[in-house]
Amino acid sequence: MSARVDALLERMTWEQKLLQLQIVWRADTAIQHDLARRGIGAQFWPPSVAAVNALQRVAVEESELGIPLLVALDVVHGQFTIFPTPLAQAASFDPAVAAADARVSAAEARANGVNWTFSPMVDVTRDPRWGRVVEGFGEDVFLSSRFAEAKVRGYQGDRLSRRDVVASCLKHFVAYGAAEAGRDYNTTDMSHRRLRETYLETFRAGVAAGAASVMASFNALNGIPMHANTGLLTGVLKDEWGFAGVVVGDADGVAQLVDHGIVPDEKTAVARAIEAGVDVVMGGSLLVDDDGVAVLTPGELSPARVDDAVRRVLTLKERLGLFENPYADERREVRSATAPARAHARAAASRCLVLLRNEGAVLPLARGAQVLLAGPFARSTDHLGAWVQSFASPVSQTLADALAEAMTDAALEVADGADVFAVSEEHLADVVGRAARADVVVLAVGEPSALSGEASSRADIALPAPQVRLIRAVAATGTPVVIVLATGRPLVVEDWVDEVDAVLVAWHLGVEGPAAIAEVLVGRTNPGGRLPMTFPRAVGQVPIHYDHESTGRPPRTGGRIQGEAHPGLAGPDNTDDYYTSKYLDLPLGPRFDFGAGFGYTTFALGDVAFGRVVALADLEAGATIDVRVRVQNTGTRVGDDVVQLYVRDEIASVTQPVRRLRGFTRVTLEPGDATTLAFTLGADDLRFWTDDGTQLLEPGAFTVWIDDGVSRVHARFELTQREDAA
C-alpha cells in the first residue's frame, strides 16, 4: 500500500470515505460540480474534455482533500470509432480484433478525459433471446476467456498511468447471462459445478489478465442477489482469486436489493452490499445524503470494510496516475473517428463475417453479373450495433454505396423503399420483377441495432415476418439469392434458409461495416469467421449450446450415437429410436453449430498427431501434451482457416460435455500452401469441477477433435498414472 493512500485514509472523515464509494449519473453540470466539491469519488463522463477538466479542477482544487475523480463511461466497442459488436468480434476467432478495438477505444476515451470503462462484458451466453448476447463473446468458455484477456490488456496496456489507456471492468459478475427464459434482469439458478465450469471461468481469466475492476450483476443467483452475495464477491473474487481491484455495483443495483425482497429499505441495502464486497455504489445518494450527512454510521457499517473499499478506490486512482496528472490534454481531444482509427475498424470488420451457405458458389459475385441489391439494410446506416453513445461517428456509407464502389466489373441495381418491419405490396412486386431479370439478388436483411442490447430480450428471434415474405418471394423467381444477415444475436432462420443460395452473417460491424461487407461480396476479402454462438432451428431448442452434456438416452441416427463422429452434428432423421432425447417435430441438432463457417477456398486437415503423452502426475506438475495437425489450402484462393481443438473425456466420475473447445488458431494460407499447427493440452484443459467445489483430473481415455467448421479429424490418447506413459 502506498504512503499517499495511507496518509489520505488517516485524514479522511467517515463522510469523506463514504463519498469515495459512490458514482452518480443523470446529473447536470451544477450538480456534478457540487458533488466534486464535496469529494465524491467517481462520476460519469461529461461529454467534452473541457467539461471533464473543469470537473476535475473542482475536485482537485476546491474539495478539502483534493482527490481526483474516476471518470467513467461505457466504451463497449468504441467511443467515436465504432468497431464490430463484441459478439461479432468473437466470430473472428482472433483475439487481436478485440485487442485492436480496446486500444483504439482506450486512446479515444482517455484523450477525452475518460479513465474508466465499464467493459468488457464477459458473461457466457447460451440463450439468444437475451438481448445482451451482443455485448459478450458467445457461448463458449474458452473462446470468451481468450477474448476477455485480449480486451483487458488492450484497454489497460502495460501500465495504467499511460495517457492512452483506461481501467477496464469485467461485467456482469456473475451468471447474468443465464437468466431464466432469456429475460433481462431475471433470476438465475444453477449447480455449483455449472457455475464454476461455465460462468466464473471467464471472470477468473479476466482477473488473471489484470482487470482493474469488476461489476456486480443485476440477477439473483440461487436466491442471493449478486449485489449482496458475500460468498462470491468476497469469498471467490477477492479471497480465493486475490482480486485487489474495485468492485462496482451496476446502475441502481444496490437500491434494487429492496425490490429483490431481501432488505426492507435502501439504507439496509447499502450496508448489505458493502459488507458483501461492493466497493463503489452506482446511483442515488445512498451513502451520504444531500446535506452531507452519512446515511450509515460506523456502528451500522464495518469501518474496516469501508477502509478496504476506499483503499481500493484510491489505489486505482494512483495506478491511473491521476494524482500527478488529473487533467486531460485538451490538444489531444478527439471529436470523431480518425482515418487511422477507421482503418483499424475496417480491418476488424473484415475478419468478423461468417459465410454459412454458398450453394453453386454464387459468392463471390461473378464478373459481369447483373446484381440486384434489395432489402431494408441496402440503404440503411444502422450498422453501429447496441451500446453506442449518441456522439459516435455515424456510418457515412450504405451497403448500396459501398457495393457500387467495389463492383468495378459488374452492374448493380438497387431497389429502394424496404422497411425493417413492413414491405408494401407495391415494393414486393417491384423487387420480384427486378429479381426475375437479374443474375443474382443480394437481400440485405436483419434486425436493427435497437432490437439487441440491454432490456432487448425477444421471445421470437426470427426475422420480422415481412422480411421473410420478401426473401421467399424473391427466392421463388429462381434467381440465385444471397442473404446478408445483419444481427446482434443468433436468429432462427428455418423458414427460409433452405430456399436461398448463400447466407453471409454480417452482424453489426460498426462504422466501417458496409465497406467490409462489400469487399467480401465481390471477393476482395475472403470470409473467414466462425459462429461464436449456435443458431437454433427453433426457439423451443433454447438454451442450446454445442458443449451439452451426454445423456443416458442420446438420439441415434443410422445406428450411430449422436456425436460419435462429431458431437452435436447428427443427421436429420430422429424417428429411428423413439425413446431418446430429442424433439418429435425437429431434426436433430441446431441449424448452424458453434464454430461453423467457411470461405471461398477449401482446406484439408491431416491426421491428429500427439507428442509424448505424459502421465497424470506430470500434467499436475505443469507438463503439457502436444497436439499437431497439418492444414493445407486445397483451393484456388488465399484464405483463412479457423482450426479448432476440442476434447472429450470419455469416462469420468461426473457426466461430461460431449466436447469442449480447448484451442483455436486462425491461419492464412496461399493456394497449395500447407502448415502444421501445434496446440498444447495442460491439466486445466482436462480437469473438471464437481458440485462439492473440488476439481478432478482423472486418468482414462480422451478424444481430441480437430475441426475447422467444415471438416474434422479425431484421435484418442490415454492418460495414465504411470510415470513411464508414452
Side-chain angles (χ1 to χ4, degrees), residues 577-636:
D577 284 314
Y578 191 79
Y579 293 103
T580 58
S581 181
K582 63 182 184 300
Y583 295 101
L584 290 177
D585 54 351
L586 280 180
L588 293 177
R591 167 51 75 165
F592 296 113
D593 205 12
F594 172 89
F598 56 96
Y600 299 151
T601 190
T602 56
F603 294 90
L605 300 175
D607 292 335
V608 179
F610 297 111
R612 180 174 178 267
V613 179
V614 299
L616 185 150
D618 296 324
L619 281 182
E620 292 279 26
T624 59
I625 299 172
D626 294 328
V627 183
R628 295 184 299 276
V629 65
R630 185 175 185 270
V631 184
Q632 183 175 18
N633 184 342
T634 56
T636 59

Side-chain angles (χ1 to χ4, degrees), residues 180-199:
E180 286 186 359
R183 199 168 71 243
D184 214 350
Y185 319 118
N186 205 10
T187 191
T188 302
D189 198 288
M190 68 178 60
S191 68
H192 185 85
R193 179 172 66 95
R194 179 64 56 87
L195 177 66
R196 284 283 189 174
E197 292 220 319
T198 303
Y199 294 96

Side-chain angles (χ1 to χ4, degrees), residues 236-292:
V236 172
L237 178 60
K238 293 181 175 180
D239 294 344
E240 181 182 330
W241 295 351
F243 177 65
V246 171
V247 174
V248 59
D250 208 338
D252 288 329
V254 171
Q256 288 161 10
L257 293 178
V258 178
D259 298 294
H260 278 287
I262 68 163
V263 294
D265 51 46
E266 290 187 0
K267 176 180 176 179
T268 313
V270 172
R272 181 79 177 267
I274 292 179
E275 295 287 4
V278 172
D279 301 310
V280 174
V281 176
M282 188 187 299
S285 299
L286 303 182
L287 291 158
V288 178
D289 66 21
D290 293 339
D291 296 322

Side-chain angles (χ1 to χ4, degrees), residues 351-662:
R351 295 182 73 76
C352 299
L353 291 109
V354 182
L355 184 63
L356 293 177
R357 188 177 176 90
N358 194 21
E359 299 299 317
V362 64
L363 286 178
L365 298 171
R367 292 185 176 183
Q370 179 67 44
V371 178
L372 173 66
L373 174 64
F377 284 86
R379 295 283 192 191
S380 175
T381 57
D382 183 9
H383 293 273
L384 295 184
W387 262 120
V388 172
Q389 307 290 348
S390 60
F391 44 77
S393 294
V395 174
S396 58
Q397 186 183 48
T398 68
L399 180 57
D401 298 329
L403 198 53
E405 184 177 303
M407 288 176 55
T408 57
D409 49 12
L412 177 67
E413 184 180 0
V414 181
D416 296 326
D419 183 82
V420 173
F421 299 110
V423 176
S424 68
E425 293 297 328
E426 293 78 12
H427 180 73
L428 187 65
D430 177 57
V431 174
V432 168
R434 296 191 194 197
R437 299 188 297 270
D439 295 320
V440 62
V441 180
V442 176
L443 287 179
V445 298
E447 61 170 15
S449 298
L451 287 190
S452 57
E454 186 172 358
S456 297
S457 297
R458 294 181 61 196
D460 180 1
I461 53 172
L463 281 176
Q467 294 188 49
V468 175
R469 187 176 176 220
L470 176 65
I471 292 171
R472 301 187 74 173
V474 171
T477 66
T479 301
V481 176
V482 173
I483 298 296
V484 175
L485 187 62
T487 181
R489 56 161 56 83
L491 296 176
V492 172
V493 299
E494 206 70 1
D495 52 355
W496 55 263
V497 71
D498 287 327
E499 300 180 28
V500 302
D501 300 272
V503 177
L504 181 69
V505 181
W507 314 105
H508 295 133
L509 291 179
V511 69
E512 290 293 319
I517 296 168
E519 289 177 346
V520 166
L521 291 175
V522 301
R524 196 171 297 162
T525 301
N526 195 339
R530 301 293 190 268
L531 289 183
M533 284 189 76
T534 299
F535 274 51
R537 294 182 183 273
V539 175
Q541 289 181 307
V542 173
I544 185 170
H545 49 99
Y546 82 92
D547 55 343
H548 58 86
E549 292 180 0
S550 301
T551 70
R553 291 192 175 189
R556 302 170 184 267
T557 57
R560 184 187 292 272
I561 296 176
Q562 178 189 359
E564 185 68 20
H566 184 57
L569 291 182
D573 181 6
N574 63 357
T575 60
D576 52 350
D577 284 314
Y578 191 79
Y579 293 103
T580 58
S581 181
K582 63 182 184 300
Y583 295 101
L584 290 177
D585 54 351
L586 280 180
L588 293 177
R591 167 51 75 165
F592 296 113
D593 205 12
F594 172 89
F598 56 96
Y600 299 151
T601 190
T602 56
F603 294 90
L605 300 175
D607 292 335
V608 179
F610 297 111
R612 180 174 178 267
V613 179
V614 299
L616 185 150
D618 296 324
L619 281 182
E620 292 279 26
T624 59
I625 299 172
D626 294 328
V627 183
R628 295 184 299 276
V629 65
R630 185 175 185 270
V631 184
Q632 183 175 18
N633 184 342
T634 56
T636 59
R637 290 174 175 265
V638 61
D640 288 3
D641 202 16
V642 176
V643 181
Q644 307 150 46
L645 180 146
Y646 296 90
V647 174
R648 175 172 168 176
D649 189 341
E650 295 295 342
I651 305 294
S653 56
V654 174
T655 299
Q656 293 298 296
V658 294
R659 59 187 174 122
R660 296 191 294 173
L661 183 70
R662 283 297 178 262

Side-chain angles (χ1 to χ4, degrees), residues 1-5 161 313-324:
M1 193 59 59
S2 77
R4 176 192 283 125
V5 170
S161 60
V313 172
L314 296 180
T315 299
L316 178 55
K317 294 180 179 185
E318 186 167 63
R319 291 182 63 204
L320 285 163
L322 297 179
F323 287 101
E324 291 77 20

